[in-house]
Amino acid sequence: MAFVLELEFKSSQNYIKNQIIAITREFNLPSKIENHDDKIICVFDSEHVKFQECLESISQRLPASIFLKSSSNYESNIEVDALTPIKNRLPLNLGICPSCQKELFDVTSRRYYYPFISCASCGGNYSFLTQYPYLRENTSFKFVRACTACEEETQSVGLRENHHINSCHECGIPVRLVNKSSERYANDAGSFRTMFEVAAKALKDDKKLLIKTTFGYRLFYAHTIINNESILMMINASKITDYLSLITEEFNALLSIERPILYVAVKNEELKGLLGANTSYAKYPDEGFSILLGTELQKLGVDFIAYEEVDENCDADMKMDYDLEVNHQSDMRLFLNKDVQFIAEGERVSLPSYNLRAKNILSVAEDYVGIPDGDHMIFDAMEHFNSIKVLGANVLAGDKKIYHANQKYFSAEEAAFMSVIAEHNLFTKRCIGAYFDEEPSFLYYDMKNVLCIVPPKKFDSSNLLENMRALREGSDRLVDNIKNKMPKMYNKLEVLEKREDVKLFEATAIILGLEDESMRGLVKEAMKFSGKGGIQMDTHVRDNRFDNLAFLSSIISYQFADVETPILAYSIFESFGDYFNDILQELKSKTKATEMILCGTHFANQSLFSRMQRNLKATPPYMNKDYPIGRENAVVGGVYI
Ligand SMILES: [Zn+2]
Ligand SMILES: [Zn+2]
């Protein structure tokens, strides 16, 4: 007899499956564990003497995951008589799993306070990869000789079976903590503990601490000196909701094994004052260094701290580092509301991946590459691969390098759109969609090719004032009015004219007078608006394309009418939501498309997205699943262009 456990898991990555396999192997329990259409199907031998014990262990130790949804179970008479083999081909960077977390704080373990703690399916594995195949000799651990205990562990069943970068205090990496006058080293449990104690005290004394974490360099500091780049690191799980207003889904996501960054509502008044906003980026400690630092800070009564991702040259009062190469991956930022979740941006967890249907070509977009391997494609940073033989290369436009004699080009928006088609296997459906990363554009897929039917109109600020005057009748009066009555604004526009490569939403933020002159600043401002409806902005279309000038002029006109900035910022997104809907509906009926797609990182915005959701209720849009909706998806779509 067999017991079948079905877990709904909406990702192609294997870390949750591998945790289950590793635990069944530990108990020597015959099983068959496989992925099928967004499900992990686990068949266990229910007559085995260790069956109950193993099942309990899985339920206690399996990490929470943002991709893990419902589960169900049933009995079956399938025969299972062997252990499921474990495959560990692509290293990821994940949070620390419950088993490793327990070991990290177990005084009797070999890894008590060892910040490099990880197993085959948790922690910073990818960080240390130099090239494929993933083996110890192809990582920065090749110079670190594993001790006998670690070696044996790597050879035995369990979570560290085939864990290529296995190490402990005995064989692992010494870390140094340097400040202006002294230097200390840690190489065993006691000295590591003291080092984190010292570091935590310094932070409490308002010092800035630069740490080479297993996810790259992070600058930690007290929340009182927070800036636009800062992310709050919530240390004390039991007090997170004292400071932040979270829905259950957000709280669970923060503590999940993926440990994403979330954009959340702030509850604490002091914090709102310091942020100059009622929203912030937040995350829960994810990797060894951050977790150990957090633990020591919590002992000092600190509930949260701020940090930002930086490079090694960043100025700090204290620096904690070690001699080992680390690959930095940009962090995962998750967008979440009650019904929908998607990855807004970032490489971590999405890459590397082994996924989708193989094609005998190379896809190249920025630093990423997609290469065929068996039935599927591998997507990752190019630097880890050697050359391979393929029939051609699809390359993101603008890249001047020649990768193949047979090379064709694609645009970022075409590739983003195609990545959603590939992820949801919509190749046999007519699809219409919008791409929003700076200037909006609209695309159509006719079951063969992707066509950019409304291309983006690149924002050009060089003749801004002159062009505004010529916009329509009466526009010259608006510009004269700005000059006479809003000299500061006029000055800002003049400055914009002289600057090169100004982005549309950067210009918008500048016109609104926001301190954070970016899309991020605009989103933050919109979140301050607590009313119901906004005002109508000019998001009209000229020659079938979004009219940047009409849009900016409309904002300025409202400023003349003393409309407050939060409502204006909010209205921008509400109007954009309506604009996208209008064009999508029109194109849908013209093309007879049946499916709708949204892509581009600017859709990761509560004000805009809730409007889109409301507007598109009848045809809920498809979005990326395993990959970010942002620019990282181009390499994926590039394969199928
Ligand atoms: Zn682990
Ligand atoms: Zn060891």
Side-chain angles (χ1 to χ4, degrees), residues 459-471 479 489-490 492-498 502 504 507-508 510-511 548-550 552-553 556:
F459 177 62
D460 176 10
S461 65
S462 59
N463 276 314
L464 193 58
L465 286 161
E466 202 52 40
N467 293 340
M468 262 185 188
R469 274 183 195 282
L471 185 62
V479 178
M489 168 73 75
Y490 194 81
K492 276 189 228 167
L493 298 175
E494 279 183 323
V495 173
L496 272 177
E497 283 194 335
K498 285 182 203 110
V502 184
L504 178 63
T508 309
I510 290 171
I511 288 174
N548 299 326
L549 274 178
L552 293 179
S553 301
I556 297 174

Side-chain angles (χ1 to χ4, degrees), residues 526-595:
M527 294 300 282
K528 289 183 190 167
F529 177 66
S530 54
K532 274 253 145 43
I535 44 178
Q536 186 61 48
M537 310 297 298
D538 194 342
T539 49
H540 279 130
V541 181
R542 217 193 229 193
D543 310 326
N544 216 3
R545 292 161 93 178
F546 180 77
D547 193 336
N548 299 326
L549 274 178
F551 169 65
L552 293 179
S553 301
S554 165
I555 295 172
I556 297 174
S557 306
Y558 278 117
Q559 286 189 301
F560 264 117
D562 285 333
V563 177
E564 284 183 19
T565 316
I567 184 169
L568 212 43
Y570 172 81
S571 303
I572 289 171
F573 295 126
E574 201 181 66
S575 301
F576 260 98
D578 293 346
Y579 160 74
F580 279 116
N581 183 49
D582 288 349
I583 309 268
L584 283 170
Q585 300 299 354
E586 188 192 319
L587 295 174
K588 185 170 178 257
S589 71
K590 268 189 196 158
T591 57
K592 307 270 181 301
T594 53
E595 319 298 322

Side-chain angles (χ1 to χ4, degrees), residues 110-111 146-150 166-172:
R110 289 190 289 126
R111 297 184 184 90
C147 67
T148 320
C150 285
N166 201 17
S167 70
C168 69
H169 282 306
E170 176 70 28
C171 59

Side-chain angles (χ1 to χ4, degrees), residues 19 95-101 117-123 159-160 257:
Q19 282 259 344
I96 305 287
C97 77
S99 310
C100 290
Q101 174 96 15
I117 193 165
S118 61
C119 67
S121 37
C122 94
L159 289 165
R160 297 210 177 84
I257 183 82

Side-chain angles (χ1 to χ4, degrees), residues 194-400:
T194 313
M195 176 175 282
F196 282 103
E197 256 171 41
V198 170
K201 282 202 183 99
L203 270 170
K204 187 144 198 250
D205 293 338
D206 287 336
K207 297 276 188 292
K208 284 191 172 187
L209 170 63
L210 178 63
I211 301 185
K212 183 181 190 177
T213 73
T214 61
F215 290 172
Y217 282 94
R218 286 175 177 172
L219 182 69
F220 292 88
Y221 42 84
H223 71 278
T224 43
I225 44 175
I226 208 157
N227 67 62
N228 290 332
E229 304 294 328
S230 308
I231 298 158
L232 297 176
M233 188 170 269
M234 308 309 293
I235 292 162
N236 189 342
S238 65
K239 288 201 176 159
I240 294 180
T241 49
D242 291 0
Y243 301 99
L244 307 176
S245 291
L246 303 176
I247 56 170
T248 314
E249 289 83 352
E250 287 174 321
F251 184 82
N252 293 342
L254 278 178
L255 270 61
S256 70
I257 183 82
E258 293 83 11
R259 296 286 206 276
I261 294 173
L262 291 184
Y263 189 60
V264 295
V266 175
K267 192 195 253 178
N268 179 274
E269 292 302 326
E270 182 214 353
L271 204 45
K272 280 189 201 172
L274 289 163
L275 289 160
N278 54 9
T279 46
S280 174
Y281 288 115
K283 86 134 74 203
Y284 189 64
D286 47 3
E287 57 75 60
F289 285 86
S290 307
I291 291 173
L292 292 172
L293 179 69
T295 304
E296 290 306 318
L297 280 163
Q298 199 177 327
K299 287 183 193 160
L300 301 175
V302 177
D303 294 333
F304 64 92
I305 193 144
Y307 80 98
E308 58 194 279
E309 288 191 359
V310 293
D311 64 29
E312 62 179 311
N313 302 316
C314 178
D315 194 40
D317 301 303
M318 256 183 171
K319 185 173 179 180
M320 191 186 286
D321 73 350
Y322 48 89
D323 299 318
L324 208 58
E325 277 300 312
V326 167
N327 290 311
H328 174 257
Q329 282 192 304
S330 57
D331 210 345
M332 174 199 250
R333 184 158 71 79
L334 188 72
F335 176 92
L336 200 64
N337 71 18
K338 242 184 152 31
D339 326 297
V340 177
Q341 94 177 23
F342 55 79
I343 303 165
E345 61 181 355
E347 302 161 328
R348 206 171 58 73
V349 188
S350 295
L351 297 172
S353 63
Y354 181 66
N355 192 13
L356 305 173
R357 178 168 51 85
K359 268 184 86 177
N360 196 349
I361 56 145
L362 196 66
S363 169
V364 183
E366 298 180 48
D367 298 331
Y368 313 115
V369 65
I371 63 163
D373 183 288
D375 294 340
H376 303 288
M377 300 294 293
I378 293 182
F379 300 102
D380 194 13
M382 200 179 307
E383 62 188 24
H384 302 312
F385 295 96
N386 291 317
S387 65
I388 58 147
K389 263 202 158 72
V390 282
L391 296 176
N394 293 351
V395 178
L396 181 65
D399 191 336
K400 302 227 160 47

Side-chain angles (χ1 to χ4, degrees), residues 27-38:
F27 283 87
N28 201 24
L29 177 71
S31 68
K32 198 172 167 207
I33 299 161
E34 288 172 338
N35 293 79
H36 276 292
D37 307 326
D38 286 348

